[in-house]
Amino acid sequence: MKIIKETEKYVKEVLKNNVNARYSDNVLYVETIYLIKPELKGLDFKHIFLNCKNYGIPSFKTVERCRRKLEKKGEYKAPQNLKVERDKMIEEYVRYANNGGW
């Protein structure tokens, strides 16, 4: 739980200062990682992503969960049109998962 609480403060800061991060979890992840470990800027991001534990940085999923938690609390929400789009993607996935495929 410690890593989630720690990560949440960084995610909150990125969402507060970078509106683009509200639109894209990829942007959010990159900016969060660079906020936590600025010395990683310039390294191959694929390498960073695949070795997040070695670098002591949170996983993509941890950052995503923190974003969802903050949005649920009403903080730094994505625009309504993006929420609608995300909800549609969730519905599609649920149909896919429940039916054993497309």
Side-chain angles (χ1 to χ4, degrees):
M1 283 306 262
K2 181 183 173 194
I3 193 163
I4 294 173
K5 285 183 180 186
E6 236 177 79
T7 302
E8 186 177 333
K9 71 179 180 181
Y10 290 110
V11 169
K12 188 174 185 174
E13 187 173 338
V14 171
L15 290 171
K16 177 182 174 186
N17 296 315
N18 186 336
V19 176
N20 292 326
R22 298 178 197 178
Y23 288 90
S24 168
D25 283 343
N26 292 329
V27 171
L28 175 61
Y29 186 68
V30 170
E31 294 301 321
T32 300
I33 295 314
Y34 290 159
L35 184 62
I36 294 169
K37 297 265 185 173
E39 65 272 18
L40 297 178
K41 284 185 181 182
L43 294 180
D44 176 52
F45 202 79
K46 179 181 176 184
H47 173 76
I48 296 169
F49 184 82
L50 295 174
N51 294 285
C52 61
K53 283 188 180 186
N54 295 337
Y55 286 111
I57 54 178
S59 71
F60 185 88
K61 284 302 218 182
T62 299
V63 171
E64 180 186 38
R65 286 183 189 108
C66 290
R67 188 243 332 134
R68 278 192 259 139
K69 181 182 174 191
L70 289 167
E71 281 186 348
K72 192 173 185 174
K73 289 176 15 182
E75 299 182 50
Y76 309 109
K77 286 187 173 187
Q80 183 61 29
N81 62 332
L82 183 57
K83 183 179 179 341
V84 169
E85 189 177 316
R86 284 179 179 161
D87 289 345
K88 283 181 187 177
M89 289 176 11
I90 290 169
E91 286 176 24
E92 284 182 29
Y93 179 77
V94 168
R95 280 196 307 272
Y96 167 80
N98 290 334
N99 294 321
W102 298 113

